[in-house]
Amino acid sequence: MKVDRLALGLGGAAAVTVGTVVAILVLGYVPLAEFPQLSESPADIPGTIAFSTFDRDRSCVMTVPASGGTPAEVYCRPCGPKTGHDYLQGA
């Protein structure tokens, strides 16, 4: 009985493997799309990225061009008791 189940399992696995190989050979292989490397042409990236920074004294919202450049401060506020980073950390 155990031999019959083993043979049935191995036969099924072999059938699935053969079926997969035949399907790939008949239907063909579809290669993955190739995308350009951002390091090759970083100036071609449109848009602006916004992010926030925190330190002990203040929290700021900054922006930087997506293609690279110097970050610019949009808005900053001081951090103190129950504000900004200290509030988020539960201090």
Side-chain angles (χ1 to χ4, degrees):
M1 194 67 155
K2 288 183 180 181
V3 175
D4 292 338
R5 287 185 182 179
L6 178 63
L8 184 61
L10 290 176
V16 168
T17 303
V18 169
T20 302
V21 169
V22 169
I24 290 173
L25 293 175
V26 170
L27 299 176
Y29 169 74
V30 179
L32 297 175
E34 292 189 23
F35 297 100
Q37 295 290 326
L38 295 178
S39 61
E40 294 172 0
S41 58
D44 295 343
I45 304 171
T48 302
I49 298 171
F51 62 96
S52 59
T53 61
F54 298 98
D55 60 24
R56 302 274 320 149
D57 301 325
R58 65 187 188 149
S59 61
C60 297
V61 175
M62 313 279 283
T63 61
V64 65
S67 60
T70 305
E73 291 182 359
V74 175
Y75 173 76
C76 290
R77 71 178 191 155
C79 286
K82 300 297 180 191
T83 62
H85 187 260
D86 294 332
Y87 182 73
L88 294 174
Q89 294 300 317

